[in-house]
Amino acid sequence: MTTVTLDEKPAQRGAAQLAAWLLAVAASIPALLVLALIAAFAFAGQADAQETECGGRNILGELRDSDPAAYKRVLDEAAAIPNGQGIFWKVEKAGLAPSWLMGTMHLTDARVLSMPDTARAAWPLAQTVIVESDEILDEKKAMAGLLSRPELTMLTDGSTITGLLSASDARKLDAGLKARGLSLPLVARMQPWMISSFVSLPACEYARKAKGAAFLDQKIAGDAKAEGKTLVGLETMEEQLSAMTDLPVKFHLDALIETLALGSRMDDAVETMIELYRAGDVGLTMPMLKTLTPLGTDPDQGYAAFEQRIIVDRNKVMATRAAPYFNRGHVFMAVGALHLPGDEGLVSLLRQQGYTVTRAQ
């Protein structure tokens, strides 16, 4: 069986950008709630020993001070991304009551758990609330979906992650998992992308989830249900997991290796993402993450399939499935913030459906 080592130079992609993309996904799709559920089992009895306060430094602040020219390039790239600023948007069409679109982060950090003031003001007017998956309120249903399709989360061909990695990399993985209260044997037969998700987010994030902390989408969905609003989920957990497993195992294995290589730098990336989100600078996220790519590699190389399957394809599904509800008005839609910007982001797709979409926060 082939093993992969950290000394190899994987072809056709910028190495660290794999890990950066995975981090972006971990903060943008609620399917990773499933990972939190599994992690919660693994954390049983250990959560008290884990730190719930995160560290991390702002990558862009460091870049501004150390390399002003590179910092300007990042800002210029972000400025060219359509609809890259704003996390709350008003959606209007003649003859319909207004609706709203909000971007979220699926993290439990207290700084991203509150809606903007304009969103809180719009909430009472909403009759239908749309989230990526309403299964975030039903852990049993989510787990049942996992059990019905084991190939979506597990290596079902008899292989193990330790068999796919070199002995050195397996030791690094073991150390990274232990920092999150997990053991390598527990996850040995999981898909590499799932294991990557465990080690891409800070240990404090999983510690908080193990103690029952929720992210904003869960609160929004729960409030909608409690208040008698119509709650709509655009995707199933199975669909979200399928989007990840549609990509080659080798791709995810490389992401796992590079995530381990980046180490605490991933904590810096999470901190920077949170600060960008709070500032409404969603379009800066991916240009910022590209700064993690080592010199001499192309951060854009090999990402077409990943971006197409994980972001663009799902944007189109969301826009299509949400359309009948927007056509009635009084909609409040909350999805991962990375689904909003870009030519094929939800803001643009709604405009293509004939709506006037204006930034409200």
Side-chain angles (χ1 to χ4, degrees), residues 224-290:
K225 190 172 182 179
E227 294 175 22
K229 299 179 187 291
T230 300
L231 179 64
V232 176
L234 297 176
E235 302 172 304
T236 65
M237 291 288 188
E238 181 178 327
E239 288 176 317
Q240 292 176 334
L241 292 170
S242 294
M244 293 297 288
T245 55
D246 282 349
L247 297 168
V249 171
K250 176 63 164 60
F251 187 96
H252 292 303
L253 192 63
D254 288 340
L256 172 59
I257 292 170
E258 295 306 327
T259 299
L260 293 170
L262 286 169
S264 63
R265 197 60 173 163
M266 298 298 280
D267 290 2
D268 296 338
V270 172
E271 175 62 23
T272 310
M273 288 172 68
I274 290 172
E275 294 187 19
L276 290 177
Y277 175 79
R278 295 181 68 203
D281 291 328
V282 180
L284 262 170
T285 302
M286 291 314 301
M288 176 275 295
L289 290 173
K290 289 179 182 178

Side-chain angles (χ1 to χ4, degrees), residues 21-152:
W21 259 112
L22 186 72
L23 179 59
V25 169
S28 69
I29 64 172
L32 290 217
L33 169 64
V34 175
L35 303 182
L37 298 178
I38 297 173
F41 287 113
F43 268 110
Q46 302 181 47
D48 290 341
Q50 302 296 320
E51 293 292 333
T52 56
E53 295 298 325
C54 300
R57 299 172 294 179
N58 189 307
I59 290 172
L60 290 178
E62 293 179 349
L63 188 65
R64 180 191 58 229
D65 296 338
S66 64
D67 193 340
Y71 177 70
K72 183 179 183 302
R73 287 194 295 272
V74 170
L75 295 184
D76 289 344
E77 181 179 351
I81 298 174
N83 313 311
Q85 291 188 319
I87 60 171
F88 190 62
W89 300 75
K90 191 174 185 178
V91 182
E92 299 174 286
K93 182 183 284 188
L96 295 176
S99 294
W100 298 271
L101 172 67
M102 189 178 80
T104 65
M105 285 189 74
H106 305 315
L107 299 175
T108 61
D109 190 290
R111 293 171 292 174
V112 298
L113 294 182
S114 297
M115 292 195 296
D117 291 342
T118 50
R120 286 198 295 271
W123 176 262
L125 305 176
Q127 297 174 1
T128 300
V129 174
I130 300 177
V131 293
E132 290 181 41
S133 174
D134 57 0
E135 293 176 19
I136 57 177
L137 292 182
D138 192 341
E139 295 181 1
K140 290 183 179 179
K141 184 176 180 180
M143 292 302 293
L146 282 177
L147 294 174
S148 68
R149 295 285 306 279
E151 73 278 7
L152 296 180

Side-chain angles (χ1 to χ4, degrees), residues 158-179:
S159 61
T160 65
I161 193 65
T162 49
L164 297 174
L165 296 176
S166 69
S168 173
D169 291 342
R171 287 193 294 271
K172 291 183 176 69
L173 175 59
D174 186 37
L177 291 170
K178 285 180 178 176

